[in-house]
């Protein structure tokens, strides 16, 4: 039993052996679901609340754009799995689409 010294709400029958595997498997399961609105909504909210850095022209900095892109591609496994509405939200950030074009050229 896990968390035996804590209250019944946090106790579990599983072992800590899956501490690394479990979140990865759950994320994989979420990714494989068609039209996963819950996941997309959480990512959309996270992107809306992300406080990215901008340069003197108001465009997102390369470092911030890379952090956003890494976050999204980690959640969706790669760029091709990223839903259109999430890509549209990313591209609405001033300077992001230009950064992504450059990033894809270098890849």
């Amino acid at each position: 039993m896990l968390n035996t010294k804590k209250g019944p709400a946090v106790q579990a029958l599983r072992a800590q052996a899956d501490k690394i595997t479990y979140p990865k498997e759950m994320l994989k399961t979420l990714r494989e679901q068609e039209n996963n609105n819950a996941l997309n909504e959480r990512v959309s909210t996270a992107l809306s609340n992300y406080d990215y850095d901008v340069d003197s022209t108001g465009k997102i900095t390369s470092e911030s754009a890379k952090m956003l892109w890494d976050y999204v591609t980690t959640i969706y496994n790669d760029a091709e799995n990223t839903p259109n509405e999430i890509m549209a939200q990313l591209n609405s950030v001033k300077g992001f689409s230009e950064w992504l074009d450059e990033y894809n050229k270098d890849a």
Side-chain angles (χ1 to χ4, degrees):
M1 172 91 51
L2 200 60
N3 295 324
T4 55
K5 294 181 181 178
K6 297 184 179 183
V10 294
Q11 293 178 1
L13 295 175
R14 66 180 186 84
Q16 285 266 301
D18 66 352
K19 189 174 184 176
I20 294 172
T21 307
Y22 180 78
K24 289 180 181 178
E25 286 300 313
M26 286 297 96
L27 191 54
K28 180 180 172 209
T29 301
L30 284 172
R31 281 188 201 122
E32 291 171 353
Q33 291 179 0
E34 295 278 329
N35 299 321
N36 191 334
N37 294 331
L39 179 62
N40 296 345
E41 196 172 302
R42 292 195 71 168
V43 171
S44 180
T45 300
L47 292 177
S48 297
N49 294 328
Y50 182 74
D51 189 20
Y52 52 84
D53 296 326
V54 295
D55 64 16
S56 60
T57 66
K59 290 183 178 179
I60 189 169
T61 63
S62 291
E63 295 82 18
S64 286
K66 176 93 170 87
M67 286 174 48
L68 278 175
W69 189 238
D70 287 347
Y71 169 74
V72 169
T73 55
T74 298
I75 297 294
Y76 293 107
N77 207 24
D78 64 37
E80 292 173 10
N81 292 333
T82 304
N84 291 336
E85 65 266 20
I86 299 298
M87 286 305 299
Q89 188 174 359
L90 285 171
N91 287 325
S92 72
V93 174
K94 186 177 180 184
F96 183 84
S97 59
E98 293 90 351
W99 174 85
L100 188 58
D101 289 342
E102 285 296 315
Y103 180 80
N104 287 330
K105 279 186 210 173
D106 294 338

